[in-house]
Amino acid sequence: MAILRFKALEELHTRTPVVVENLGKVSGFYGENVFNRDRMREYLQEDVFEKVMAAVEQGTQLDRKIADSVATGMKAWALSKGVSHYTHWFQPLTGTTAEKHDGFFMPVENGRAIEAFEGKQLIQQEPDASSFPNGGIRNTFEARGYSAWDPSSPAFIIGATLCIPTIFISYTGEALDYKSPLLKTLTALDKAAADVGQYFDKNITKVTATLGWEQEYFLVDEALYNARPDLVLTGRTVFGHSPAKGQQLEDHYFGSIPERAMSFMRDFENESLRLGIPVRTRHNEVAPNQFECAPVFEEANIAVDHNLLLMDLMEKIARKHNFRVLFHEKPYAGVNGSGKHNNWSMGTNTGKNLLSPGNTPKTNLQFLTFFVNTIKAVYEHDDLFRASIASAGNDHRLGANEAPPAIISVFLGSQLSVVLDELVSKVKAGKLSPEEKTNLKLNIGKIPEILLDNTDRNRTSPFAFTGNKFEFRAVGSSANCAQAMITINSAVTAQLIEFKQDVDALISKGDKKDDAILKVLKKYIEVSARIRFEGNGYGDEWVVEAEKRGLKNIKTTPLALDALVSKKTSALWTSLGIFNEREIHARHDIYLENYTKKVQIEGRVIGDLALNHIIPTAFEYQSKLITNVTGLKELYGADYKKLAVVQLSTIEQISEHISKISSKVNAMTEARKKANGLSDARKQAIEYCDKVVPYFDEIRYEVDKLELLVSDEAWPLPKYREMLFHR
Ligand code: ADP
Ligand code: MG
């Protein structure tokens, strides 16, 4: 029964760190597999190069002739690197990336072949869209979707394939991916933020959203992984008793990185750096065998691509090291899960970070403007922020005392809180006296020195200001960051547009610009007060307090997703041109279906494992005990009972657990059947969430008890201590 487990444990002893080639100085190979600016300059004619750059910077269109020239240059570069295939690389709503490979070679007359790649292949491909989630947008009779080149994200080479980042849309123009709406929000934010930036600096003409993500993950040996069907099929362990030693000692977080893990990290970092992904930090995380890596922040579109690319690389390279990477938000119950902090800010063409306090009252008024508008944006759309991080995996984490709660709030730090509160008390509705103004400006001018010694960090807040950026901490480790970015960008864009209207209205009534800005900020700070929270986000008191404040605490995905189709969200997205109504509803359906599918599979796996692995193992062990008891009876006659107390009680306990497991699995199956019968995606997801998912923990409870009763030798699944503590 337990053959696989023991074979895996034996294999573990044979593992040694894979030797990773030393590539020398990073500057020597950084970005060598990317068709970046330098390579374009080398492989493209000068006018073509200029046009591509303009398209990247100003979002202008490229015509077919230019595309042909770019394709020729790209092909020449790719062939020089031994590439044989190309693919459009896109981000369907499954959450992973997709590719459709085509060879460069074309058979021509006389049995010869040439390497061909033209503008039209660069610009557009037609992957069979019916195999990707489309939320009913594409009926089979119009079964075509197409991918289209995104020149703002450079092409790159993986293995022998040239990968071209693309958007993925239906034939009728609706987005079927994450990238196309993300790009729209970036353009919208650019415009709105640059318009507001003009109040402070006429040189600000372009604003770019920046993203620096921090990716958490677990490593597990592949032999152990393969002996756990639940990990293979769902990415998480559905059973497993907590180990005697958990993360209580916190020795992992500060400990040195184990050698095997280290060599895996070096390997994927090398590959990432070759692809121009600026990974810089790596460290252990809180839980055993949990790690994190983070790059230097980048323009948000590139950062999103790089995160997906990195996850993909990590999965591939882990195999070389006999590891599997777990990106699931909660692979092990009772052990910290994994998140992906999204650090977000806005950078200008003048090289400034708009969320970085400056050193003059003027630059600080600029800082306060973007700072307060971001807070107000979260206040206005907190439920959308919650929806943007909703997933079956993240439901295990949010509010479980290890990750920010499902209640959205913003943390500013005590010093900035004081600055905002003072601003509210000092700015008056009427005209400000010169002294009052000087006073205010003095206060505002003090921000940088305050922040320098601002060491308070609140790790329990879902959305925290950390000195020069906001950190959205509630994002799940397996998520595509684009979802969070689309939300932040669009909420802040709408907010900045409103801000400009409010300020201009006051100016037109005779207020000076600075006075108008201060007055509007004051109003925003007052209005959005309830979203600010500086205390412990993990505490029960916060749940009570948040309820008093009227903040929502939506614990499960199906209900959290309602915010995607609310009137407010719909108005936000349609007014900015990010999504139309059809796209909004399609997306909502897709996310609901994704949720349902995930828990449906988990339900099946739990049922199968319980009935085919756990119960038979328990029977087998119970039979051994019964043989033991009958043997004692033969030997000792009526006295046997005294000698068989433990055996008899264990036999009974095993029977009890088995019978509970069996009846609960049956009940779960019935609940699943009922849920499967529902045709409305939302109703079905809610039914799964409320009626099926609760059985998961109930069944697990019984199984985990059996794990403690049945002999270690007989247990079929690798145990938590084996998966978490191996090196
Ligand atoms: P933590 O304490 O959460 O690990 P760090 O100070 O190490 O935070 O930085 C976390 C992340 O913040 C890094 O990935 C970095 O790239 C990102 N970051 C720094 N500045 C910015 C910025 N202006 N915009 C976006 N991300 C940023
Ligand atoms: Mg962080």
Side-chain angles (χ1 to χ4, degrees):
M1 200 84 214
I3 304 170
L4 260 183
R5 173 173 158 232
F6 284 103
K7 255 183 76 182
L9 289 172
E10 257 169 47
E11 263 183 78
L12 209 53
H13 293 295
T14 68
R15 304 279 195 231
T16 47
V18 175
V19 180
V20 178
E21 191 191 352
N22 185 348
L23 299 177
K25 276 199 309 238
V26 172
S27 55
F29 61 92
Y30 183 70
E32 70 180 14
N33 290 339
V34 187
F35 198 58
N36 58 19
R37 206 173 270 248
D38 286 351
R39 236 126 276 148
M40 282 193 219
R41 213 189 291 273
E42 187 183 339
Y43 283 89
L44 303 182
Q45 288 149 2
E46 201 173 315
D47 59 322
V48 176
F49 172 79
E50 299 297 341
K51 292 218 169 95
V52 175
M53 285 299 121
V56 171
E57 269 148 39
Q58 291 132 35
T60 47
Q61 295 282 324
L62 285 169
D63 62 40
R64 256 304 289 283
K65 252 184 71 201
I66 298 292
D68 277 335
S69 306
V70 177
T72 305
M74 241 186 224
K75 185 183 74 177
W77 171 68
L79 291 178
S80 79
K81 308 221 16 133
V83 165
S84 58
H85 284 67
Y86 69 92
T87 181
H88 277 195
W89 182 81
F90 55 100
Q91 304 168 23
L93 296 169
T94 47
T96 48
T97 54
E99 301 161 12
K100 179 190 173 221
H101 294 225
D102 278 313
F104 280 135
F105 93 94
M106 281 286 277
V108 288
E109 71 286 358
N110 301 331
R112 290 182 311 119
I114 55 163
E115 263 72 36
F117 182 57
E118 289 172 13
K120 78 169 184 276
Q121 283 116 0
L122 167 65
I123 291 185
Q124 190 168 324
Q125 227 185 6
E126 293 189 14
D128 176 16
S130 59
S131 38
F132 298 104
N134 56 62
I137 277 183
R138 275 194 37 279
N139 298 320
T140 26
F141 63 84
E142 47 169 16
R144 280 198 299 178
Y146 63 91
S147 50
W149 181 34
D150 165 21
S152 61
S153 183
F156 54 89
I157 292 172
I158 293 201
T161 305
L162 172 71
C163 304
I164 299 153
T166 55
I167 58 168
F168 180 44
I169 48 187
S170 76
Y171 213 70
T172 39
E174 281 103 351
L176 296 172
D177 69 344
Y178 287 103
K179 191 192 256 289
S180 48
L182 173 66
L183 290 173
K184 287 181 183 168
T185 64
L186 290 169
T187 309
L189 179 68
D190 173 12
K191 166 107 186 40
D195 283 351
V196 171
Q198 287 282 310
Y199 285 139
F200 308 98
D201 181 354
K202 292 285 173 219
N203 295 316
I204 296 179
T205 52
K206 185 169 172 64
V207 174
T208 322
T210 51
L211 163 65
W213 41 263
E214 303 164 59
Q215 179 71 55
E216 293 183 334
Y217 61 96
F218 279 86
L219 284 179
V220 64
D221 187 85
E222 79 178 350
L224 292 171
Y225 172 90
N226 286 326
R228 295 272 330 200
D230 47 357
L231 269 188
V232 174
L233 296 171
T234 71
R236 76 177 182 104
T237 54
V238 296
F239 303 140
H241 202 280
S242 318
K245 174 181 165 171
Q247 60 200 47
Q248 306 90 333
L249 300 177
E250 297 194 341
D251 47 357
H252 180 72
Y253 192 74
F254 298 105
S256 60
I257 298 173
E259 251 186 276
R260 258 183 89 197
M262 186 63 133
S263 100
F264 159 68
M265 289 179 191
R266 267 208 300 275
D267 208 357
F268 85 72
E269 283 169 6
N270 281 347
E271 288 314 308
S272 305
L273 292 164
R274 281 176 152 150
L275 287 166
I277 308 173
V279 280
R280 272 187 76 195
T281 42
R282 52 161 103 112
H283 59 76
N284 288 338
E285 263 306 317
V286 187
N289 270 343
Q290 189 189 25
F291 308 94
E292 179 190 292
C293 75
V296 177
F297 69 93
E298 298 177 280
E299 187 275 320
N301 176 37
I302 308 262
V304 168
D305 284 0
H306 279 171
N307 178 244
L308 289 166
L309 196 48
L310 174 110
M311 288 167 77
D312 199 38
L313 278 179
M314 284 171 76
E315 279 183 336
K316 285 188 183 125
I317 291 168
R319 287 162 196 253
K320 241 170 78 185
H321 294 253
N322 304 109
F323 277 131
R324 281 296 146 61
V325 192
L326 308 178
F327 286 120
H328 194 284
E329 282 74 16
K330 193 76 179 175
Y332 303 103
V335 174
N336 253 53
S338 302
K340 175 148 55 195
H341 295 173
N342 278 205
N343 296 274
W344 176 90
S345 189
M346 291 166 283
T348 64
N349 60 309
T350 56
K352 293 279 183 299
N353 175 352
L354 290 173
L355 289 174
S356 189
N359 44 20
T360 63
K362 191 178 108 186
T363 49
N364 274 335
L365 190 58
Q366 176 184 309
F367 159 71
L368 280 178
T369 295
F370 288 95
F371 180 64
V372 170
N373 273 290
T374 307
I375 298 166
K376 172 102 182 321
V378 182
Y379 161 79
E380 292 290 349
H381 294 285
D382 59 339
D383 55 346
L384 182 57
F385 278 74
R386 171 64 186 91
S388 78
I389 50 163
S391 69
N394 227 8
D395 279 2
H396 294 282
R397 235 178 112 242
L398 298 178
N401 277 334
E402 55 164 281
I407 309 160
I408 298 295
S409 66
V410 185
F411 170 86
L412 315 184
S414 53
Q415 331 243 21
L416 280 169
S417 299
V418 170
V419 172
L420 295 201
D421 294 342
E422 275 191 16
L423 198 151
V424 168
S425 66
K426 295 212 165 114
V427 175
K428 295 187 312 196
K431 224 173 145 46
L432 291 166
S433 73
E435 299 89 77
E436 283 169 331
K437 258 194 198 169
T438 317
N439 231 326
L440 247 172
K441 286 197 171 160
L442 263 174
N443 255 319
I444 293 172
K446 271 193 253 159
I447 296 172
E449 65 187 75
I450 294 172
L451 279 190
L452 274 185
D453 50 61
N454 175 3
T455 44
D456 62 340
R457 279 263 181 143
N458 183 328
R459 305 220 161 254
T460 64
S461 169
F463 200 83
F465 186 70
T466 54
N468 58 1
K469 61 194 179 285
F470 279 97
E471 185 169 6
F472 195 9
R473 295 217 182 89
V475 182
S477 49
S478 70
N480 182 325
C481 305
Q483 188 68 18
M485 291 297 112
I486 290 167
T487 301
I488 302 181
N489 293 343
S490 42
V492 173
T493 301
Q495 187 52 56
L496 289 170
I497 292 172
E498 182 189 317
F499 175 77
K500 182 146 192 325
Q501 283 163 356
D502 288 349
V503 171
D504 286 350
L506 289 181
I507 293 174
S508 70
K509 281 190 203 135
D511 267 338
K512 284 230 169 91
K513 187 176 74 187
D514 283 4
D515 294 4
I517 290 172
L518 284 166
K519 281 180 194 169
V520 175
L521 290 181
K522 171 196 162 98
K523 185 178 83 186
Y524 287 0
I525 296 167
E526 283 175 329
V527 172
S528 57
R530 73 164 186 192
I531 202 78
R532 282 162 53 189
F533 180 61
E534 301 289 305
N536 175 15
Y538 293 0
D540 295 334
E541 306 80 37
W542 173 225
V543 176
V544 178
E545 158 83 15
E547 198 182 336
K548 269 195 217 141
R549 292 191 190 185
L551 293 173
K552 289 207 190 96
N553 184 5
I554 307 171
K555 297 208 176 83
T556 57
T557 295
L559 293 179
L561 291 175
D562 281 348
L564 294 179
V565 287
S566 72
K567 277 212 175 95
K568 196 164 191 182
T569 301
S570 181
L572 170 73
W573 277 337
T574 53
S575 70
L576 297 176
I578 311 299
F579 293 116
N580 62 31
E581 288 291 344
R582 211 168 150 214
E583 290 171 308
I584 291 172
H585 286 279
R587 233 153 249 260
H588 184 226
D589 273 358
I590 290 167
Y591 297 143
L592 287 166
E593 277 164 23
N594 283 351
Y595 173 85
T596 298
K597 272 191 205 141
K598 285 240 162 81
V599 292
Q600 196 172 40
I601 294 171
E602 285 186 7
R604 283 196 203 121
V605 170
I606 288 170
D608 288 355
L609 276 183
L611 301 183
N612 303 327
H613 287 61
I614 307 300
I615 292 185
T617 304
F619 276 148
E620 213 172 284
Y621 181 62
Q622 197 187 37
S623 301
K624 277 195 183 163
L625 293 176
I626 293 169
T627 312
N628 173 287
V629 174
T630 32
L632 287 173
K633 198 170 171 186
E634 262 173 41
L635 274 178
Y636 296 97
D639 277 348
Y640 86 98
K641 275 201 172 159
K642 264 195 301 195
L643 301 166
V645 177
V646 175
Q647 295 88 315
L648 287 169
S649 129
T650 312
I651 290 169
E652 279 169 28
Q653 287 179 56
I654 290 178
S655 285
E656 272 169 36
H657 291 304
I658 289 177
S659 107
K660 283 192 186 143
I661 292 172
S662 161
S663 67
K664 282 177 197 293
V665 168
N666 286 337
M668 175 179 73
T669 310
E670 284 312 308
R672 263 193 10 238
K673 277 191 198 146
K674 203 169 150 226
N676 290 344
L678 298 172
S679 57
D680 177 81
R682 180 173 179 275
K683 286 205 181 109
Q684 189 176 44
I686 292 174
E687 183 78 7
Y688 258 99
C689 182
D690 294 348
K691 300 287 163 54
V692 179
V693 171
Y695 283 112
F696 294 1
D697 278 348
E698 289 183 26
I699 296 167
R700 177 183 197 127
Y701 177 83
E702 307 298 334
V703 171
D704 290 358
K705 287 280 179 220
L706 276 180
E707 185 184 323
L708 296 184
L709 288 175
V710 170
S711 80
D712 183 54
E713 192 187 66
W715 198 252
L717 302 172
K719 295 187 170 180
Y720 267 30
R721 61 162 193 271
E722 292 157 350
M723 290 184 288
L724 286 166
F725 291 99
H726 74 71
R727 298 247 127 159

